[in-house]
Amino acid sequence: MQTGHVTTPFGRRPAKLALVKGQLAIAGSKPNARIEKWKVFRDVCEARERFGLQDRALAVLDALLTFYPNGELDAEHGLVVFPSNAQLSVRAHGITESTLRRQLGALVDAGLIHRRDSPNGKRYAHRNREGEIEQAYGFDLAPLLVRASELAILAQDVAAERMRFRRAKEALTICRRDVRKLISAAVEEGAFGNWGKVETAYIDILARLPRYPNRAQVELTLDEMELLREEALNILETQLNTEDLLGNAIQNDRHIQNSKPESIHELEPSSGQKLGEGSAERAQTESETEGRPKARPEPIKAFPLGMVLRACPQIADYGPGGRIEHWRELMKAAVGVRSMLGVSPSAYEEACNAMGPENAAVAMACILERSTLITSAGGYLRDLTKRSQRGEFSLGPMLMALMKVNDEGKRRTA
């Protein structure tokens, strides 16, 4: 029996069997010869979450260790410190006495220190004639010495867990960025695919992630996000491979059928040409070529960029530096306008598939000009898309009407 190594608390504090068990375990263990006290303290700080300790408890433990005179914990020199509450409060950065008592109790419950209470509950020591301490009553630091190896292993485990958690969050951040930018790029450039569904899945995955997740939740979200990224990449890879095959076929057709293709500028109506004359010439050309095998139609810009900007000047505000100089800048500005007007990515994607990316961007510019008269920009764009698919819609009359309105407005203000 090792009853001499077990003490019960003074006053109204009850003696708990868990505390008795902890004292017996410490008494029956063979402690290390000595250990550097601040190394043990750093291990406790690292593993404090495993013990359920607050930062103030660590401040109290730090204060207790400052009352131990040696740099190393050594059982031969005694491990009991006996400062008063006033002295402890000063060295623990001035915490209140009630907080001090509560945090001392937390350290005792965690099994990091033991109470060695005197008969009257005071903390003091008996010394011999040589001034050496024979018996001390206060707080016993022996658990820190006995559990030094255990604390070091716990600290390493917590540090490794923290590293795995940080790397999982970093991987999730990168994966989220990849998926978000792949969706944006696909919608902006009119890539084939149901990107609205992909974006919905992306939002649903993030909605299931708690605000303060643990590592398991982050890793589960990362697995789902990686699968979504693979799906998006597969869609884009399939389309790019298809475009390469179609591009090669178109190049071969052009080489065989037309060695001198018309330039884009020749196909666009010039600024000095009347619409009626252009229509008549096109009708005559169609009648002349009727019955002949038709070559594969090339995607062209139906109208000059200058004409579009003249009819829809507001779209320039969404370009880089408040101006638009190229078709790609117009298409990027149209994506920003789409988001601002509340048009869904799926509606814009359908418009790009039906009209072509350039014409869809022109349609968004026209809708922006008439936004004050349109109740639902998304519904209006879907209606234009359906009419375009049936061959019942052309951007020409809309552009000419807007250009006429803007020109008349300029003449009035001139």
Side-chain angles (χ1 to χ4, degrees), residues 41-71:
F41 177 72
R42 287 193 296 271
D43 291 339
V44 173
C45 291
E46 194 74 30
R48 73 180 181 91
E49 293 181 359
R50 299 290 180 90
F51 297 103
L53 297 176
Q54 299 178 357
D55 52 353
R56 293 188 176 183
L58 298 179
V60 173
L61 181 59
D62 175 80
L64 286 173
L65 289 173
T66 61
F67 287 100
Y68 189 78
N70 301 327

Side-chain angles (χ1 to χ4, degrees), residues 263-413:
S263 66
I264 292 178
H265 299 288
E266 293 173 352
L267 292 172
E268 293 176 349
S270 61
S271 59
Q273 186 180 18
K274 296 182 180 179
L275 287 178
E277 296 175 356
S279 302
E281 291 179 0
R282 283 195 297 272
Q284 182 178 358
T285 303
E286 291 176 358
S287 62
E288 292 176 354
T289 57
E290 186 176 358
R292 301 179 186 176
K294 297 183 180 180
R296 187 188 303 272
E298 299 181 37
I300 62 172
K301 303 176 184 65
F303 306 96
L305 180 60
M307 175 182 177
V308 175
L309 297 178
R310 181 180 169 189
C312 309
Q314 295 184 39
I315 192 69
D317 296 337
Y318 298 85
R323 59 182 182 180
I324 293 176
E325 298 179 350
H326 307 285
W327 278 97
R328 181 166 295 277
E329 293 179 352
L330 176 65
M331 289 188 288
K332 289 184 178 180
V335 173
V337 171
R338 172 198 70 77
S339 177
M340 186 268 294
L341 293 179
V343 178
S344 65
S346 59
Y348 189 68
E349 178 187 351
E350 292 175 3
C352 290
N353 293 335
M355 307 178 190
E358 295 87 354
N359 288 338
V362 174
M364 286 305 308
C366 294
I367 293 175
L368 176 63
E369 288 294 322
R370 304 180 61 184
S371 59
T372 56
L373 305 176
I374 298 175
T375 304
S376 172
Y380 189 80
L381 181 63
R382 288 187 185 274
D383 181 65
L384 295 183
T385 301
K386 292 178 182 178
R387 291 167 57 190
S388 178
Q389 290 172 341
R390 296 194 300 264
E392 300 174 355
F393 170 70
S394 175
L395 286 168
M398 183 181 293
L399 286 173
M400 294 301 297
L402 290 173
M403 190 161 52
K404 181 178 179 181
V405 171
N406 291 334
D407 290 344
E408 289 179 356
K410 290 180 180 178
R411 285 196 297 268
R412 291 173 183 172
T413 57

Side-chain angles (χ1 to χ4, degrees), residues 19 22-23 26 40-41 43-45 47-54 57-58 61-62 64-65 73 79 103-115 139-148 150-151 154:
L19 296 179
Q23 293 186 37
I26 294 299
V40 179
F41 177 72
D43 291 339
V44 173
C45 291
R48 73 180 181 91
E49 293 181 359
R50 299 290 180 90
F51 297 103
L53 297 176
Q54 299 178 357
L58 298 179
L61 181 59
D62 175 80
L64 286 173
L65 289 173
L73 298 176
L79 294 170
Q103 300 307 327
L104 285 170
L107 291 172
V108 172
D109 292 341
L112 298 176
I113 61 174
H114 286 161
R115 296 182 187 272
F139 297 104
D140 191 355
L141 303 178
L144 295 176
L145 181 61
V146 173
R147 303 179 65 181
E150 175 193 351
L151 293 172
L154 279 177

Side-chain angles (χ1 to χ4, degrees), residues 18 22 78-79 98 125 160 177 206 214-215 219 226 236 238 250 261 292 296 320 324 360 363 372 377 391 393 400 412:
L79 294 170
S98 60
R177 182 184 65 197
L206 293 182
N214 54 33
R215 182 171 64 89
E219 289 179 345
E226 286 178 341
L236 291 175
T238 302
I250 291 173
R292 301 179 186 176
R296 187 188 303 272
I324 293 176
T372 56
F393 170 70
M400 294 301 297
R412 291 173 183 172

Side-chain angles (χ1 to χ4, degrees), residues 120-135:
N120 61 0
K122 302 295 184 179
R123 300 172 199 147
Y124 57 88
H126 293 297
R127 300 178 184 270
N128 57 20
R129 293 183 177 181
E130 287 77 19
E132 297 176 351
I133 296 177
E134 291 182 339
Q135 182 68 38

Side-chain angles (χ1 to χ4, degrees), residues 84-226:
S84 65
N85 284 349
Q87 292 173 322
L88 267 179
S89 177
V90 171
R91 295 199 185 184
H93 311 295
I95 63 176
T96 62
E97 185 172 348
S98 60
T99 303
L100 177 64
R101 293 179 184 276
R102 186 167 57 252
Q103 300 307 327
L104 285 170
L107 291 172
V108 172
D109 292 341
L112 298 176
I113 61 174
H114 286 161
R115 296 182 187 272
R116 300 296 180 192
D117 287 347
S118 65
N120 61 0
K122 302 295 184 179
R123 300 172 199 147
Y124 57 88
H126 293 297
R127 300 178 184 270
N128 57 20
R129 293 183 177 181
E130 287 77 19
E132 297 176 351
I133 296 177
E134 291 182 339
Q135 182 68 38
Y137 299 101
F139 297 104
D140 191 355
L141 303 178
L144 295 176
L145 181 61
V146 173
R147 303 179 65 181
S149 300
E150 175 193 351
L151 293 172
I153 294 174
L154 279 177
Q156 293 175 5
D157 184 52
V158 169
E161 174 69 16
R162 186 180 297 116
M163 177 64 70
R164 289 192 293 268
F165 190 20
R166 183 168 64 249
R167 289 181 177 176
K169 290 194 294 185
E170 290 175 352
L172 178 59
T173 299
I174 294 174
C175 194
R176 286 177 58 182
R177 182 184 65 197
D178 292 345
V179 175
R180 179 67 269 171
K181 292 199 173 184
L182 286 174
I183 295 174
S184 299
V187 174
E188 289 176 5
E189 300 184 20
F192 174 79
N194 192 350
W195 296 106
K197 180 180 178 181
V198 176
E199 186 171 22
T200 301
Y202 170 82
I203 296 173
D204 290 342
I205 291 174
L206 293 182
R208 291 193 295 270
L209 184 66
R211 184 174 183 180
Y212 300 104
N214 54 33
R215 182 171 64 89
Q217 293 169 330
V218 171
E219 289 179 345
L220 178 61
T221 303
L222 175 60
D223 292 339
E224 295 178 347
M225 194 66 68
E226 286 178 341

